[in-house]
Amino acid sequence: MGVAQIVRYAFLVLAAGFLQHSPLLNAFGVKPNLILIALVALSFVATKAQQYIVLLMVGLAVMQFRDAPETELLALGILAFAAFVVGRRLPWRWIFNNGILLAVATVAFYLLTQSSFLYTHGVSVAVELLLNVFTGTLLFLSFAQQRA
């Protein structure tokens, strides 16, 4: 992945961050975690850890820009980098790995940041999980289409 692609993907992460905090993409009172989705999908596109860390830092900077609590920043950073490391080692096709990682990362994000939300708003978390996996799969497929 060249510098131009890294810049293009960094703009994608920036756009995801700004879209995430807009009233758009609100489904049943739930918004997908677009930064997480973009970073997990990009974990299969970046060929080197250094490239991925640049994209991850852009995602964290966008979250910091909106005054995200430190626990959310830390959770996103850990989960996104874990996706980069683990995603390529899972035994299934990458598109399936992407979906599994998004589902696990969505639940883990709530466990790490606000675990009581899982119990009190389980339906909302389930809807977000489905939105994340669906949106992430579409994004992953768009990346695969670009490579073909």
Side-chain angles (χ1 to χ4, degrees):
M1 182 163 58
V3 173
Q5 279 185 310
I6 293 172
V7 170
R8 189 172 72 217
Y9 291 139
F11 277 113
L12 173 80
V13 173
L14 275 172
F18 289 117
L19 266 175
Q20 182 170 321
H21 304 297
S22 75
L24 301 172
L25 303 176
N26 190 340
F28 309 109
V30 177
K31 292 193 273 185
N33 189 336
L34 296 176
I35 296 173
L36 181 66
I37 292 167
L39 289 173
V40 170
L42 287 168
S43 72
F44 294 97
V45 175
T47 55
K48 297 179 182 171
Q50 297 90 336
Q51 297 167 341
Y52 188 70
I53 289 170
V54 168
L55 299 172
L56 177 58
M57 291 298 144
V58 170
L60 294 176
V62 171
M63 283 189 65
Q64 182 64 34
F65 178 71
R66 72 155 187 105
D67 286 335
E70 290 179 10
T71 54
E72 286 185 14
L73 291 169
L74 185 60
L76 179 69
I78 290 169
L79 294 170
F81 195 74
F84 177 78
V85 173
V86 173
R88 299 163 188 269
R89 290 178 174 79
L90 292 174
W92 309 290
R93 291 177 177 240
W94 280 11
I95 190 166
F96 186 70
N97 293 353
N98 181 66
I100 294 293
L101 287 171
L102 279 169
V104 169
T106 300
V107 173
F109 186 80
Y110 282 109
L111 284 172
L112 293 170
T113 60
Q114 39 186 310
S115 58
S116 64
F117 194 79
L118 283 169
Y119 306 112
T120 59
H121 296 86
V123 174
S124 295
V125 173
V127 170
E128 183 181 339
L129 187 145
L130 292 173
L131 282 171
N132 285 355
V133 171
F134 178 74
T135 308
T137 300
L138 292 177
L139 186 60
F140 181 89
L141 288 172
S142 76
F143 293 152
Q145 189 75 19
Q146 289 175 7
R147 291 181 130 189

